[in-house]
Amino acid sequence: MIPAAARGTTTVSARAVARIAQQAATETPNAVGTVRGTAIVRGQRAEVSVRLGLPWPADLGRRAGEVQRHVASRTGELTGLSVRVARLRVVRLQRPTGGTAVFETTAPATTEGRVPRRWWSARPTPVVVAALLGAEAAGLLTADMASVRLFGNAPAAWRTGLVDRLAATSPAAGSVTVTAAAMAVAGLWLLLLACTPGLRKRYVVAGFGAGRSIALDRAAVASVVRDNVLDTDGVDSVRVRVGRRRVRVRADLAFGDRAAAREQAGAAARAALADCRLNRPLRVGLRLRTTSTWDPSPPVPGAPSADAPDSVPVPVPAGGADGGAERKESP
């Protein structure tokens, strides 16, 4: 009988791990909408990144942590690999369709080590373009030199012409200066891309270390702020623009005191950002303007509407002093 160690090995592809991680994420009650996942497999270890939506209002850090733990344990159980969910990207936040949502607050988990300020991009497009251009130039030069050395062919016309032009051109010539300037600009651009993060539209949620991080998209943050400000009394419409360090809110007031509504809307926007538990706090800029039909006094419950009649008929019992006629009283 062949021993188990000599029967071969089972390899799980990264695509299969990603599919299993997606399915594991959908099994949790916290996942909302379409779930996407990517995976990198290195031997018996796998690193998974998940993209999904979360219900809101809720403690985003706690719910996201539950998704991370479930995806890691479930994927590891089904694949036999040691799985680590390195990144969980929240692309949107959705309110429940029915019932009342309960907001559960818990303190963010304490982690050791430096917490990442922002997700970094691998910059695949500039890297691929630079690599292809360099590979093409090196390939052409290598092919021409091999043709000359191995088969005794004459050098290619483009190489001899390039050498002649370089030999006859002065270093102070305009073409040399332009070429050097273009190469310097390209080099500075690549250095800038290498030293700056590229994922500027995602904000890291506090409470997670560098190995496990959770991020919110700007659109998700904007939807949370918009929904909170819309709950302000008298606010008719809200527009939110989320920047790198500031959230700009534009609200239209239909009725009510302007100063009180401004204070309430600002507090609602700041509370929404606090609920997101972002690693880098964002400042709130609020602009409140009144609509063309703005009424400074809020409507009183039970008060008659503007189109109600000034008087209503009140019937009088038969045989009264008015001979059974109807009497009108002002409300």
Side-chain angles (χ1 to χ4, degrees), residues 122-135:
R123 305 286 191 179
T125 302
V127 171
V128 170
V129 171
L132 288 178
L133 292 177

Side-chain angles (χ1 to χ4, degrees), residues 1 33 80 92 97 99 127 134 145 158 180 212 229 236 248 254 278 307 310:
M1 182 176 181
R92 69 168 179 158
T97 55
V127 171
M145 294 182 64
W158 62 268
R212 294 172 53 236
V229 176
D236 182 62
R248 293 177 174 84
L278 302 182
D307 55 351
D310 294 336

Side-chain angles (χ1 to χ4, degrees), residues 38 146 226:
T38 58
R226 184 184 305 109

Side-chain angles (χ1 to χ4, degrees), residues 64-77:
E66 292 175 356
V67 174
Q68 282 188 318
R69 290 189 293 270
H70 179 77
V71 170
S73 60
R74 184 62 172 165
T75 307
E77 177 186 353

Side-chain angles (χ1 to χ4, degrees), residues 85-102:
V85 181
R87 288 183 173 183
L88 183 66
R89 177 185 173 190
V90 181
V91 295
R92 69 168 179 158
L93 301 174
Q94 179 174 323
R95 285 180 177 268
T97 55
T100 303
V102 179

Side-chain angles (χ1 to χ4, degrees), residues 18 23 62 76 96 107 115 131 164 175 202 212 246 257 260 269 274 277 310 315 318:
Q23 180 61 31
R62 182 184 63 82
V115 179
D164 293 340
S175 59
R202 302 176 194 173
R212 294 172 53 236
R246 188 175 182 181
D257 182 69
R277 304 188 188 278
D310 294 336

